[in-house]
Amino acid sequence: METAADAGEEELSPPRSSLVLDDDEDVEEVEDEGGNLKEPLLEHHPINLRRHAPNNTSQLAIVGSNLCPIESLDYELIENDLFNQDWRSRGRAAILWYVFLKWTFCLFIGIVAGAVGFFNNLAVENVAGYKFVTVSDLMLANKYWTAFWVFAGSNLALLLFATVITAFVSTAAGGSGIPEVKAYLNGVDAPDIFSLRTLVVKIVGMIAAVSSSLHVGKAGPMVHIGACIGAIVGQGGSRKYGMTCRWLRYFKNDRDRRDLVTCGAAAGVAAAFRAPVGGVLFALESLSSWWRSALIWRAFFTTAVVAVTLRTLIDICERGKCGLFGKGGLIMYDVTSDTITYHIADLPPVILLGVIGGILGSLYNFLMLKVLRVCSLVNEKGRAYRLLLAATVSIFISCCLFGLPWLAPCRPCLKEDCPSIGHSGSFKNFQCPPKHYNDLASLFFNTNDDTIRKLYSSETNDDFQKSSIMLSFVASYVLGILSYGVAAPFGLFVPIILTGASYGRLIGMLMGANSNLDHGLFAVLGSASFLGGTMRMTVSVCVIILELTNNLLLLPLVMLVLLISKTVADSFNPNIYDLILKLKGLPYLEDHAEPYMRQLTVTDVVTGPLRTFNGVEKVGNIVHILKTTGHHAFPVIDEPPFSSSPVLYGLILRAHLLSLLKKKRFLPTCTLSGFDASKQFVADDFAKRGSGKHDRIEDIEVTAEEMEMYIDLHPFTNTSPYTVVETMSLAKALILFRQVGLRHLLIVPKSSCRAPVVGILTRHDFMPEHILGLHPFLVKSRWKRLRFHKSTLTRFFRTSLMWACS
Amino acid sequence: METAADAGEEELSPPRSSLVLDDDEDVEEVEDEGGNLKEPLLEHHPINLRRHAPNNTSQLAIVGSNLCPIESLDYELIENDLFNQDWRSRGRAAILWYVFLKWTFCLFIGIVAGAVGFFNNLAVENVAGYKFVTVSDLMLANKYWTAFWVFAGSNLALLLFATVITAFVSTAAGGSGIPEVKAYLNGVDAPDIFSLRTLVVKIVGMIAAVSSSLHVGKAGPMVHIGACIGAIVGQGGSRKYGMTCRWLRYFKNDRDRRDLVTCGAAAGVAAAFRAPVGGVLFALESLSSWWRSALIWRAFFTTAVVAVTLRTLIDICERGKCGLFGKGGLIMYDVTSDTITYHIADLPPVILLGVIGGILGSLYNFLMLKVLRVCSLVNEKGRAYRLLLAATVSIFISCCLFGLPWLAPCRPCLKEDCPSIGHSGSFKNFQCPPKHYNDLASLFFNTNDDTIRKLYSSETNDDFQKSSIMLSFVASYVLGILSYGVAAPFGLFVPIILTGASYGRLIGMLMGANSNLDHGLFAVLGSASFLGGTMRMTVSVCVIILELTNNLLLLPLVMLVLLISKTVADSFNPNIYDLILKLKGLPYLEDHAEPYMRQLTVTDVVTGPLRTFNGVEKVGNIVHILKTTGHHAFPVIDEPPFSSSPVLYGLILRAHLLSLLKKKRFLPTCTLSGFDASKQFVADDFAKRGSGKHDRIEDIEVTAEEMEMYIDLHPFTNTSPYTVVETMSLAKALILFRQVGLRHLLIVPKSSCRAPVVGILTRHDFMPEHILGLHPFLVKSRWKRLRFHKSTLTRFFRTSLMWACS
């Protein structure tokens, strides 16, 4: 079989800027960087050879805490005859039923996500609460060493439990899961991230990890949990457990699953922060790559259901008994203070807060990346190493948390409920005499949520000393970064809020009489600046903070501080999730093209030999090609005698070919089948199966006799593949690929009388690593994004650190 | 010159579903609706003739209040050699400067929008305030007839002034402007909507119209004003006034203008409601058709600037003297009541509120459309008729507002500041004796903002009587719809909020002891339900209401009521802006394909003969084709001797051809120019000019000698046009067209050895009117969107009305 690639080979060099067309002779090998800047980039670089080199970008990525193979998702409408007939046969009732089911799924996702969010909080409050109560009681009895062993022991046990179930049951549950969800919504599918097993491990492991006094949060995992619920619902039942239904087949495609996963992720955020609007905005701003107005509406419905569910459950808890679950149950720092006023004079400290927050935030990202790199080296060595790492981190943190408060002096109690004894309260006695409290211990020996609420409270300017807040800030900054290296399920949001809150209070204290703002307000603004500096979200963080603090008067200040910290931090490095995405090797498709992509055409990056099929193809050929290549789609070309000249009929997916081979309805001769495909096949046979589940060519046995038979591919070929002409610039092809959500993009020739397809672009062909690998001179070129060079950044931080330490 | 269309003619009938390819003989003319539903739609309908009929969808639309020609915008990157060279020649400094300028523009837009928003409020408060004070004083002196004449006279004068300046200075300023802004962001450009003249008329006219006691608001015009400021800033200076700058040329394209207009629109909403987050969300949910994460961030910055500007100006006003501008200055119903509590038992009335709100809202849309249709017939007849209509409406409304309060009985004053005398306050004495007030007059004889604040206030359950609220609801429902027919600048938002608030209070009163909720809360929820029922926005309305009322505790109830009212109303008709868009005839491109589009291919809808140019084309040909067609882009095909076979080189824009003809750098013979285009032309010559400004072929004079010369089109041709293969389904082509934001989409053949282009799709080819005109049998087919049939709706409302009136 002749491939289209061979036919198109002689015209590959891009003649876009050479005015004499079809003229390749005047190619020179000049690589001078200082040459005429107006010259096109590629004219001097003959790169015809690349066709013989396949795309070597990695098809593996770190998912959760293990290296896994990844695949792309297909958000394109597959329009082949079989599907079209199936679609046309749907009556009005079927469509109404589909709409109804989708809304019901959203309702279900909202209820379950709300319930899980509530349960998580309940469990953490109780597990961590009893631990702190026990330790406090032992301290009151002056049994300091026993208290330490109980504290460190229970922390160790909890964290090891979380690490063990992550390592042995579902490695995909490790980490926050936000990068994986973000990648999924961008079109990267990793096996097992949305399985039931992952869901259970994520919930249980997160409760244990968060209760183990690690500086970690539960918001990130809630996003993953929400998305997981959405994906499981969208799976369209389970054949394994016989839970299928005819109606569910309409959901067996990546588009509907994407919608449900988006709603699930929004529900997760809403449940974590009790912030329904913030949840929608978070999903919109930070997670999803495609968005429709209708999806906002659906996500909003889901988060509204979450809000109602949470409220109902909390109402129930307030009446009955939920252990130590009190008003601290959900992260909701309801610190309404109607007296908050501020004037123009208050702006300078707020601006300062934003600037420093931005710098500290980008430094946080930078250090986090270093730690993650080191820890992933350790984690890759095996499960024993993971446990060892977890144990080391846990013991170190326990020592810090237990040791540091001894440095803080005791302070006499001025308020009621001080020190709090027998329940998980705010003021801790620690080593102090009765009627005294240790302010640092009060910050350390509480759940993160209680600590944040404490820091946010207004009219508590005198509750803490400068040194304690300083220590608390340094500890949470360092321990937050350290904690995230452990391979267990937890998130980043809460530690960042906590670190920001102590940083904000510190600035407030250092301001002293120069500012009239309340220190609680400073803490809120500090959190905002830190979130802006690390996560770089704006509208969603703003709304989440407003919903958390329940105080709309803060809005202008929060906006200001977010704007400043994001601007400052953006000039150093990208946001933390993008850094982690890159570290994990997930092929995330950015929504903007790199500047050099405007200088390349699609033919400059497409690699590997193209494999095509005839409209009626020999089974042997199909099996051979499926076995020898890893491609997921093949162009179908009608050649004589089926047409007068070669005609591009469409694109057929590997999954559909495998289904055809499994069904074994082969034709004895090379003719059109001539019968109605819908009588032999149902659309459900070709429905996209859930994440990570697909047939493999090795599992299909085809006899030698069958190898000589034929398949008519026409009814199964997507007749509407998206295409670009070979002279299309890479930047514009990327816009198409990303905006429409494609998995494959066909390249067609610009001129007549050539093979009708020149190549196929996939996600990996747009990856900068791939492009820069093909065209190494681009690495040095000035066509890269504007950002402080990495070494500049390293140097800056190193100098600052040296200066700070000296 | 042979056109590609002729060459492609014989293969136009779509062979997608007929298994025997290239076989057109078995076409039958069967139109049975009850046939096999699995059959493809078009096989029985030979439609090859359409190539000879041009697309005759209207290129005119009602913009503001006049019929204007409209054009499409081009959000595609034009990548021709000249632009690419210009782009490559930009240094790092130029790029940084561009980024800096864009942010500065946003800052500027924010400051100006904030200042204009403040000024509008100040003006309305003073003009309307003095009017009401004068009328009240006359009433106190028992000069009832004089009071009426003053009231009606000033209303008439104000409205006539607004109508006159709209009719004589800028008709584009009529109406709210939101449909026009929405269409602009969708890619429809109407002349004059963003001119300086329109801006001034909009501001002045809106102040006059709102002060004239019409039931109209200032939020819609603020959106238009904000967008206008954005567009004027993004115009890239003005050649007419010599205000150009080399740097501004980077903004001379539709993409950057779109960004600035989006930011401007968000700033407008933010200024109108003092709701920065709500502004961003409104622009995102309701206005814009494309959105990037970076744009959220930019819009957020702009609205933050608006918030700061407003706060600063209000601070200044509080210190100095701003006339009657008090706390009622900005629409901000700060009705914080910490005591709001609600339980499951409160849900039924809230759900009822949502359901009725949805029905009333969709009825509002329905009636509004009828009124607009009648009024636009009147308005089309000429300026005199417009003035007459405005006068009639104004007098009728003045009579209603002055007459109805006589029906309300006097009530004794129980609160301080009752009745309010000498300033624009809340309780009006009207015809009552001293120490008494007329509750209906209190609602009518205040600015809308004051009335809404009054209705929203908590603990005012006894201030109003059921009959007064009922009358007020009916009056604002009817007068709101009537008012909108006048051709002057004003919006819909505030009347809808007001109508909803009185409706909500009415429901609250009717509930009586069955509900513990405060009537002020009912009013807020009523507004939400009405906004949900008419405008169908969810997240943005929710956030705007929260920011308006400054009470986050309302969130779950507001969400619930919005969800219900939107769901109910959506089953009747689309949202009000879409209805108005359609009525105005703006070719808005929906983001979802109609179901029947999946059954058509692009060749089924493309019309009109295709005109192409050679790579080196004769001037005479170009002039002839430009004169005889209205196309805005032409494919450029390289034919022998410039290539061995016909090759698609790219797409050239009419505007660029006109620039080339104006420059007159023609070649004497048919050869490649061979020189560097950048030496003869600068990119600025081809920059996209502002809205409505472009050259016309009639204005360019070409001598007979020049007609015989040639132009080398290569350096000016966009070499990366987006393309689809002719077998692409229309639905998928629409997704591409809409997602990428195209103006032209080339159709390429699926087979080799044909002309390299088959046709061009534009926005108008995707319009349902056009498609249904070509394929009339689709009108009756079941492949249309699910929605209650229009006649069903009419019947439903007619029956309800009859029932209500009987």
Side-chain angles (χ1 to χ4, degrees), chain A residues 176-198:
Chain A
S176 84
I178 289 183
E180 280 86 358
V181 173
K182 193 172 175 180
Y184 182 89
L185 293 177
N186 190 264
V188 181
D189 191 16
D192 219 31
I193 48 165
F194 291 146
S195 69
L196 199 60
R197 207 168 49 176
T198 306

Side-chain angles (χ1 to χ4, degrees), chain A residues 100-121:
Chain A
F100 172 76
L101 261 188
K102 206 163 176 185
W103 283 104
T104 314
F105 284 173
C106 287
L107 177 74
F108 180 78
I109 293 169
I111 293 175
V112 175
V116 169
F118 178 77
F119 171 74
N120 284 345
N121 279 292

Side-chain angles (χ1 to χ4, degrees), chain A residues 87 237 298 348 476 508 520-521 559 618 652 688-689 693 736:
Chain A
W87 191 85
R298 205 179 284 281
S476 59
L521 179 58
M559 286 178 95
K618 212 171 164 185
I652 191 158
K688 173 89 190 241
R689 290 163 70 186
K693 289 176 203 154
L736 165 60

